[in-house]
Amino acid sequence: MVKREAQREQTASMEDYLEAVAMLRGKGKVVRVSQISRKLKVTMPSVTSALRKLSEQELVEHERYGHIKLTPEGDKVARDVLRRHKALTRFFAQALGINQETAEEDACKIEHVISPLSLERMIKFIEFIQACPLEEPNFPKRYKYYLEHGQLPKECLERSVRRGK
Amino acid sequence: MVKREAQREQTASMEDYLEAVAMLRGKGKVVRVSQISRKLKVTMPSVTSALRKLSEQELVEHERYGHIKLTPEGDKVARDVLRRHKALTRFFAQALGINQETAEEDACKIEHVISPLSLERMIKFIEFIQACPLEEPNFPKRYKYYLEHGQLPKECLERSVRRGK
DNA sequence: CCGAATTGTTAGACATGTCTAACAATTTTA
DNA sequence: TAAAATTGTTAGACATGTCTAACAATTCGG
């Protein structure tokens, strides 16, 4: 069995910096310390300090006053954080009906601590309710009704009654 | 409008200590530093140090070599952490079908960072699928089938076909 | 009731990650 | 192009929370 390169576990902070670089890079242009600083709401010295550490681990390339880019390894880590971020955001927004802003905020925190299993299940959950709407009005619709009115939609109540529950 | 007592925000660590005291207290007996130490997997000096800080904030009562108990205020905080913990565990286990151990682990991390809104929605979600099984075989059953077999249960497929999807 | 084991505390080192102040480099603009 | 604004870095303080080593108090078993 091949021993896989031990991908060093990153702290929540370091994951945030890697993720920020990946996100900012997307928008054309060069990534700047000031942008990261604004995005993560930390001061520029904090960014410089973090980049130094990530450079030492060869996850980013960064030279004084120069460019900031992810190494292939750093890119791998950043992509994985982003994957978790997106899955969580989607789950909160689509499955739980949370507003986009709060969904993002929660995703930002939870992406650093959730287990691979739970994440996978959330992804599967979304896949499921999208692929299998169950009926019209479907599950998400009914759930939305329940959230908005504080009581079960009439179809559910009818069923309960019919089943003598 | 009455200005509510600003309940000091606690760090994840301090919440863990308060939660641990509340949990251990449940099992009869006096709460001991060594128990907290074992439960949270930290050394005893770490516990002593944390208890000192929480004492200063009047969230616990603790005198050298003596008893450890929550003040009414500390109890309030601890109960809220426990509430989040339980809701999350339940959500992971019952809604997502995660095993109890992983559900607990994830709850332990996420309880410190989740927004009140998302938590509330998770609670509502569980209430909903419990109260409104939708049909036989109901939603959780179908979802379980999907997880186990990697494909939609036949009822869903039939529906999709019928709807020409 | 006394010695051993356990429990708990203190002191202080250390890691992480933040900040402010001061200064340096770069970029913008008048 | 020179001054001003912006951007970035360094140095060092600080907060949090962990640990080990050493010692002190308490509890337990014979």
Side-chain angles (χ1 to χ4, degrees), chain A residues 109-148:
Chain A
K109 305 293 189 68
I110 296 175
E111 68 193 17
H112 305 298
V113 300
I114 195 168
S115 67
L117 179 59
S118 296
L119 185 76
E120 185 219 302
R121 287 294 169 85
M122 287 182 181
I123 293 169
K124 283 224 183 340
F125 186 88
I126 291 287
E127 281 170 14
F128 177 73
I129 63 173
Q130 298 250 320
C132 183
L134 296 179
E135 51 189 39
E136 309 293 352
N138 61 28
F139 177 84
K141 259 191 192 157
R142 288 190 176 183
Y143 176 57
K144 191 152 176 264
Y145 180 95
Y146 176 64
L147 286 182
E148 281 166 3

Side-chain angles (χ1 to χ4, degrees), chain A residues 96-98 102 106 114-115 118 121 124-125 127-128 132 134-135 139 142-143 146-147 156 159 163, chain B residues 96-98 102 106 115 118 121 124-125 127-128 132 134-136 139 142-143 146-147 156 159:
Chain A
L96 298 184
I98 307 288
T102 305
D106 279 18
I114 195 168
S115 67
S118 296
R121 287 294 169 85
K124 283 224 183 340
F125 186 88
E127 281 170 14
F128 177 73
C132 183
L134 296 179
E135 51 189 39
F139 177 84
R142 288 190 176 183
Y143 176 57
Y146 176 64
L147 286 182
C156 298
R159 279 171 196 289
R163 268 189 271 101
Chain B
L96 297 184
I98 307 287
T102 305
D106 279 19
S115 67
S118 296
R121 287 296 169 85
K124 283 227 186 335
F125 186 87
E127 280 170 15
F128 177 73
C132 182
L134 297 178
E135 50 188 42
E136 310 294 354
F139 176 84
R142 288 189 177 182
Y143 176 56
Y146 177 64
L147 286 182
C156 298
R159 278 172 196 288

Side-chain angles (χ1 to χ4, degrees), chain A residues 7-69:
Chain A
Q7 183 177 291
R8 188 182 306 286
E9 281 297 304
Q10 291 301 316
T11 62
S13 269
M14 292 304 118
E15 283 189 349
D16 278 337
Y17 286 108
L18 291 172
E19 188 185 19
V21 174
M23 284 172 128
L24 292 167
R25 169 193 58 182
K27 326 196 163 177
K29 315 291 165 170
V30 187
V31 179
R32 301 196 150 286
V33 170
S34 55
Q35 288 178 296
I36 301 173
S37 161
R38 274 188 294 274
K39 177 165 243 297
L40 298 182
K41 299 186 199 309
V42 295
T43 60
M44 289 202 290
S46 299
V47 177
T48 303
S49 161
L51 291 177
R52 187 164 29 70
K53 275 175 210 158
L54 292 169
S55 288
E56 282 161 13
Q57 293 182 259
E58 314 217 307
L59 295 172
V60 306
E61 275 176 40
H62 178 222
E63 44 198 39
R64 288 189 72 196
Y65 301 97
H67 68 270
I68 298 168
K69 66 191 284 268

Side-chain angles (χ1 to χ4, degrees), chain B residues 92-127:
Chain B
F92 283 119
Q94 292 183 24
L96 297 184
I98 307 287
N99 63 76
Q100 195 63 24
E101 195 188 324
T102 305
E104 289 277 357
E105 284 169 10
D106 279 19
C108 278
K109 304 294 189 66
I110 296 174
E111 69 193 16
H112 305 298
V113 301
I114 195 168
S115 67
L117 177 59
S118 296
L119 186 76
E120 186 219 300
R121 287 296 169 85
M122 287 183 181
I123 292 168
K124 283 227 186 335
F125 186 87
I126 291 286
E127 280 170 15

